Amino acid sequence: MPLRRSHRLLAGGLAATALATAALGADLTAVADGPRDAGKGTNVLIVGVDARKHLSKKQKDWLHVGGKECDCTDVMMLAHLSADGRRLSVLSIPRDSYVRFAPHTDPGDGERGSTHPGKINGAYAHGGADLAIRTVEQATGLGIDHYLSLTFDGFTRLVDSFGGSKVCTEKRLWDDFSGLHLNRGTRVLDGRRTLRYVRTRHVDPPGDLPRMRRQQRVVADGLARTLASGQLDGVSGRIDAAAKLLHAARANSLTGFDDLLRLGYAARNLSTEKTEFATVPIADVNHMTPRWGSAVKWDDERAQRLFRALRADRPLTPADRRDPHVRGDSEGRASAGTDLLCTD
């Protein structure tokens, strides 16, 4: 069977530190060209959920996550593990992406089969993990094999269990909103400080897109260190990593402990040189919508090209990987190399 459930590998990486019309549709991000295609390889949807009801005031203060929860997916990444287990493509999906939701019963009016448009992070609030998954499938044409959800405290535990996250920044990052106070240089952050690093939106440059870049760096660091440690090579290492992941995160019904172990084995030949990062190409970061205000509109032509490459289990081209909104430059290379890990 194909390498379904790329959890373990991404867990090893994302985990080592881990874990967004007037004429309804005229302005909408286009639905993927062609029907949902299971394709080749394995697709895992990884989300960070802004959920705080289960946290005490003391925990919220400690994590610096006060304020009102949105009960939405604050972070959304799609990880594609190739069929031969040698290449990983990690695609960040802007949380404010303007898409049409998959059919569901709208909690507001009870209308069955509702397919109204909205920001993709709101699909979770409208229909939980099931609607979030189906909406991503509808928008990208990629079949989701597995789903991994992390809350703020779950992410913190996961990072700590894998020994923290190495962060390298060439400038001072100071944000009282997220609680991030980080001087320039290289250091290993614990789970709590890593959470602040991946959540900050009020440093230069501000906003969600540079924040996604920082999230990709955290994943790249975790992946690089996991592969270098050889943890995926032995049975005991894979068991330990899978146990840590399931302790901190919530998987869907299709993903069990045995699946994670198989994925760990399948991904043992992965290398950082064959790991690539991208963000869904964007046409407008301030696309005004009639109901949801400012949203992110995808560059449909480039986005569809990227989705087709993933469905065909092909490497992403340099053009696919280019995202000047996140990189801040025109070169656009994205890999797990030094440029991704140590530039801010």
Side-chain angles (χ1 to χ4, degrees), residues 3 17 23 41 50 61 67 143 171 179 203 226 240 274 279 301 309 331 337:
L3 303 178
T17 263
D50 182 349
D61 290 343
K171 61 187 178 184
V203 294
T226 298
D240 178 63
K274 291 293 184 69
T279 298
E301 181 179 349
E331 185 178 12

Side-chain angles (χ1 to χ4, degrees), residues 80-92:
H80 175 84
L81 181 65
S82 64
D84 62 8
R86 294 179 179 274
R87 185 182 67 258
L88 179 69
S89 304
V90 181
L91 177 66
S92 291

Side-chain angles (χ1 to χ4, degrees), residues 146-169:
H146 294 286
Y147 169 89
L148 174 65
S149 169
L150 287 162
T151 56
F152 295 141
D153 52 323
F155 174 85
T156 300
R157 288 197 305 272
L158 193 57
V159 172
D160 285 338
S161 71
F162 279 86
S165 173
K166 183 180 178 182
V167 169
C168 178
T169 176

Side-chain angles (χ1 to χ4, degrees), residues 1 37 83 149 202 249 337-338:
M1 63 184 295
D37 182 1
S149 169
H202 300 277
T338 305

